[in-house]
Amino acid sequence: MVLTQSEAKRGMQTRLVAVWQWARDKVRNARLEVKFILIASLIVLALMFVLGLWTTKSIEKAIMKGAGSVGAAYLQTFVEPLISEEDIRTKSLSPEVKAKLDQLLGDSPLGQHVREIKIWNPDASLFYSTAGRKVDREQVFDELKRALTGEVVVSRTMISKHAYSGEERHAEYIEVYAPLVRDNAGKVVLVGEFYERPDYLLAEIAGAWRSTLMIVLLVSVPMLALLYMIVRSGSRLIDDQHTAIRASLRHALELSNQNRRLRLEAERARQEAGKLNEKILDQIGSDLHDGPIQVLTLVKLRLSDMKPSLGGGDTVAVPVEGIGKLLRLVTVVLDEIRNISSGLVLPELDNISLNETILLAVRRHTDLTGNRVAIKGALDVDPSRGHLNICVYRFIQEALINAHRHAPGNVQQLRYGMRRNRIVIAIADIGSPPKAPALAPQRIRLGKLMQKRRIRAFGGKVRTIRRSNGTLVIVVLPLE
Ligand SMILES: Nc1ncnc2c1ncn2[C@@H]1O[C@H](COP(=O)(O)OP(=O)(O)OP(=O)(O)O)[C@@H](O)[C@H]1O
Ligand SMILES: [Mg+2]
């Protein structure tokens, strides 16, 4: 398939655009110090180029000016004396003069510099050229006009003014136009043109380029390296700060999540506490109703059964046996109420250690039930932890009572100790397997619920493990 020229051009354009976009994305995503070094290098390159251009232009100007005065002096000193008035009138040079002019361009040191001499008439026709007459008549050009007014004009052969030979144009000679011969009135009648080799000019320009490049490189490379290091350390600092900001943001998010969790937990605990309070009130109410109120009802019945004594008056005759029964009933009521209230408050735990609290709970249980509990363990904890004491006491009391009540014949064991700044207490009953809970709808089961709630309030955890030969209850309580 043959691509048309416009299609090929369009393909090239798309490729260029793709390369440009790729480079732009690369630079945009590059690190700060890489961006800096790229841009700074571009600026230094541009600076190098501008400085080089400026220096070479200045040198070229100076050299051309020098060449102008040398050329004018050369023409006036060596060429002008050779041309006689006769030559001007006949508009041609005698062979002797031509030979002399050719000699001037020969092997002499000056001749090495000067390549050609042309002599122009004011009408832009060539009076004489050492390279042979190539043109007869030209348009009057600007440089010639200026030379005719007495000015020395310097230019280069690659800027076209009149017809040049291929060699003249290619060698890019420096050309100097200067007034050569004036008439008596001072009017310029012949203009000399002088072609000089540009070698020394080109050498100077190349040298200037080289030294400008060297100077700019010598100054800018260390400066760029230093700046690069500064920018790189700044960029690293920014990176470190980014990382720190990200870490603290993550931390803040974690904290906010934790806060939310805690808030939900607190809300749940509050609701649970409300429900539990209701249950406890229920329990106290039913304990009072089923115990003391029943007995007091009995006492009231007995009292109302009492009749006034036969003798009349305000006295009541009560048999001794009746009083004894009443006294027993009142004692039972008092005991029950005392039991209920002793279950609510525990002032004796305030000033004892955790170790003593555990031992006290076990001792009381043994006193009440007659069960012996095998204890093993030791704790060395600061004694001033009244609330923790109550929590531990209630936990042990409930666990032991449960074992006594729900697994009567089992051997009871208690182990405790510290592990990684946490108190661990394990209560087990060993013997027959736990029975399925008896259906007793009138009784609210509060024990384990209360246990869990108390332990959770201290940041701890309870686990009940039902095994084939009994039940194991473990609590882990952090000390902080
Ligand atoms: N050591 C144990 N062995 C066997 N079953 C147990 C044991 N501990 C608890 N249970 C079972 O778990 C149930 C819940 O116990 P929980 O202590 O909450 O209630 P409760 O003892 O019946 O009543 P209370 O509110 O007076 O404590 C018990 O009814 C019982 O069936
Ligand atoms: Mg219980």
Side-chain angles (χ1 to χ4, degrees):
M1 199 172 73
V2 182
L3 285 178
T4 63
Q5 208 173 358
S6 69
E7 275 172 333
K9 206 170 156 189
R10 227 174 294 130
M12 186 73 177
Q13 272 175 355
T14 355
R15 231 168 301 142
L16 276 178
V17 168
V19 169
W20 164 248
Q21 276 172 353
W22 174 83
R24 202 183 49 190
D25 289 350
K26 277 266 167 204
V27 171
R28 201 174 280 167
N29 298 332
R31 289 178 59 77
L32 190 63
E33 64 263 33
V34 178
K35 274 187 206 161
F36 164 77
I37 201 78
L38 276 176
I39 293 170
S41 305
L42 281 178
I43 291 173
V44 165
L45 277 178
L47 186 78
M48 243 154 59
F49 184 73
V50 170
L51 257 181
L53 214 63
W54 179 76
T55 320
T56 49
K57 277 284 161 215
S58 313
I59 288 173
E60 195 177 345
K61 226 165 148 184
I63 286 178
M64 301 271 261
K65 213 169 171 185
S69 19
V70 169
Y74 178 89
L75 287 171
Q76 241 127 60
T77 319
F78 296 103
V79 183
E80 201 241 321
L82 297 178
I83 301 166
S84 62
E85 291 206 359
E86 178 69 20
D87 294 333
I88 298 167
R89 212 174 326 112
T90 56
K91 289 206 170 193
S92 71
L93 290 177
S94 64
E96 300 86 62
V97 176
K98 284 181 186 172
K100 274 190 184 159
L101 278 177
D102 287 340
Q103 207 183 332
L104 269 181
L105 302 181
D107 295 334
S108 65
L110 200 66
Q112 291 297 308
H113 257 307
V114 184
R115 287 299 297 162
E116 275 175 45
I117 294 170
K118 284 179 183 168
I119 300 170
W120 294 90
N121 290 314
D123 60 358
S125 60
L126 206 53
F127 179 80
Y128 176 70
S129 161
T130 52
R133 192 183 288 243
K134 300 256 169 55
V135 278
D136 275 339
R137 184 89 178 226
E138 283 277 347
Q139 283 285 32
V140 179
F141 48 95
D142 194 40
E143 282 75 6
L144 183 62
K145 261 191 232 162
R146 283 164 64 194
L148 282 170
T149 61
E151 205 182 317
V152 177
V153 185
V154 187
S155 179
R156 302 279 302 269
T157 48
M158 67 273 200
I159 307 162
S160 72
K161 291 164 279 278
H162 52 81
Y164 288 107
S165 71
E167 191 232 329
E168 283 168 355
R169 191 179 291 277
H170 186 253
E172 301 186 351
Y173 293 132
I174 301 169
E175 47 180 4
V176 180
Y177 297 87
L180 186 65
V181 180
R182 294 173 192 260
D183 62 9
N184 292 336
K187 193 171 164 245
V188 179
V189 287
L190 281 180
V191 169
E193 188 187 1
F194 169 99
Y195 284 40
E196 199 177 340
R197 282 176 193 276
D199 303 0
Y200 71 102
L201 170 69
L202 295 179
E204 280 296 323
I205 287 175
W209 262 115
R210 265 198 306 279
S211 41
T212 311
L213 290 193
M214 284 307 290
I215 289 168
V216 173
L217 278 180
L218 280 178
V219 172
S220 48
V221 166
M223 181 189 76
L224 278 183
L226 201 71
L227 287 175
Y228 176 77
M229 273 170 356
I230 294 172
V231 173
R232 196 174 63 163
S233 72
S235 158
R236 291 211 171 138
L237 190 70
I238 292 171
D239 283 353
D240 288 350
Q241 282 172 350
H242 263 166
T243 320
I245 288 170
R246 245 179 259 133
S248 60
L249 186 69
R250 215 173 22 246
H251 187 61
L253 282 175
E254 271 166 22
L255 273 182
S256 117
N257 281 344
Q258 202 175 343
N259 263 350
R260 196 160 42 85
R261 270 201 308 278
L262 284 175
R263 215 187 54 241
L264 289 175
E265 191 87 0
E267 180 66 14
R268 214 186 47 195
R270 197 181 57 77
Q271 286 174 356
E272 230 173 59
K275 281 185 206 158
L276 216 64
N277 272 345
E278 288 301 317
K279 282 188 181 175
I280 291 167
L281 287 176
D282 242 23
Q283 181 73 62
I284 296 170
S286 59
D287 280 354
L288 285 173
H289 176 266
D290 299 350
I293 290 175
Q294 302 301 322
V295 184
L296 281 174
T297 314
L298 209 64
V299 173
K300 187 187 162 199
L301 267 177
R302 286 192 184 264
L303 285 173
S304 61
D305 281 351
M306 285 180 189
K307 303 219 166 44
S309 62
L310 288 170
D314 291 341
T315 53
V316 175
V318 184
V320 178
E321 186 203 355
I323 288 288
K325 270 188 184 167
L326 275 177
L327 266 176
R328 270 201 305 284
L329 286 176
V330 169
T331 311
V332 169
V333 173
L334 276 177
D335 283 351
E336 288 207 7
I337 291 175
R338 188 171 288 123
N339 279 344
I340 291 168
S341 64
S342 79
L344 295 175
V345 287
L346 292 164
E348 65 274 30
L349 297 185
D350 273 354
N351 296 315
I352 61 173
S353 72
L354 210 56
N355 225 359
E356 288 163 335
T357 306
I358 295 172
L359 296 178
L360 178 69
V362 173
R363 199 169 56 242
R364 285 213 175 141
H365 174 75
T366 309
D367 289 348
L368 209 68
T369 60
N371 288 343
R372 296 188 69 76
V373 181
I375 313 177
K376 198 172 166 192
L379 279 177
D380 185 21
V381 181
D382 180 9
S384 60
R385 293 174 185 266
H387 291 292
L388 191 66
N389 283 356
I390 295 172
C391 171
V392 168
Y393 181 92
R394 290 290 191 211
F395 167 76
I396 294 174
Q397 187 187 36
E398 178 59 31
L400 288 177
I401 285 284
N402 274 353
H404 172 71
R405 196 193 288 165
H406 306 297
N410 288 5
V411 176
Q412 294 171 4
Q413 279 184 350
L414 189 150
R415 300 254 187 287
Y416 64 101
M418 289 285 290
R419 197 178 293 164
R420 275 186 264 136
N421 210 26
R422 289 168 184 183
I423 304 165
V424 182
I425 305 171
I427 292 164
D429 56 81
I430 303 165
S432 48
K435 288 175 273 175
L439 287 168
Q442 73 273 31
R443 191 168 165 76
I444 304 154
R445 293 182 200 288
L446 272 180
K448 287 174 89 171
L449 212 65
M450 285 289 281
Q451 252 184 350
K452 222 178 239 172
R453 201 180 98 68
R454 274 182 204 285
I455 298 296
R456 223 189 269 155
F458 281 85
K461 277 180 184 158
V462 192
R463 260 194 90 186
T464 304
I465 303 164
R466 287 160 178 267
R467 303 186 297 195
S468 57
N469 62 343
T471 307
L472 171 68
V473 188
I474 303 173
V475 67
V476 180
L477 268 174
L479 268 182
E480 297 311 313

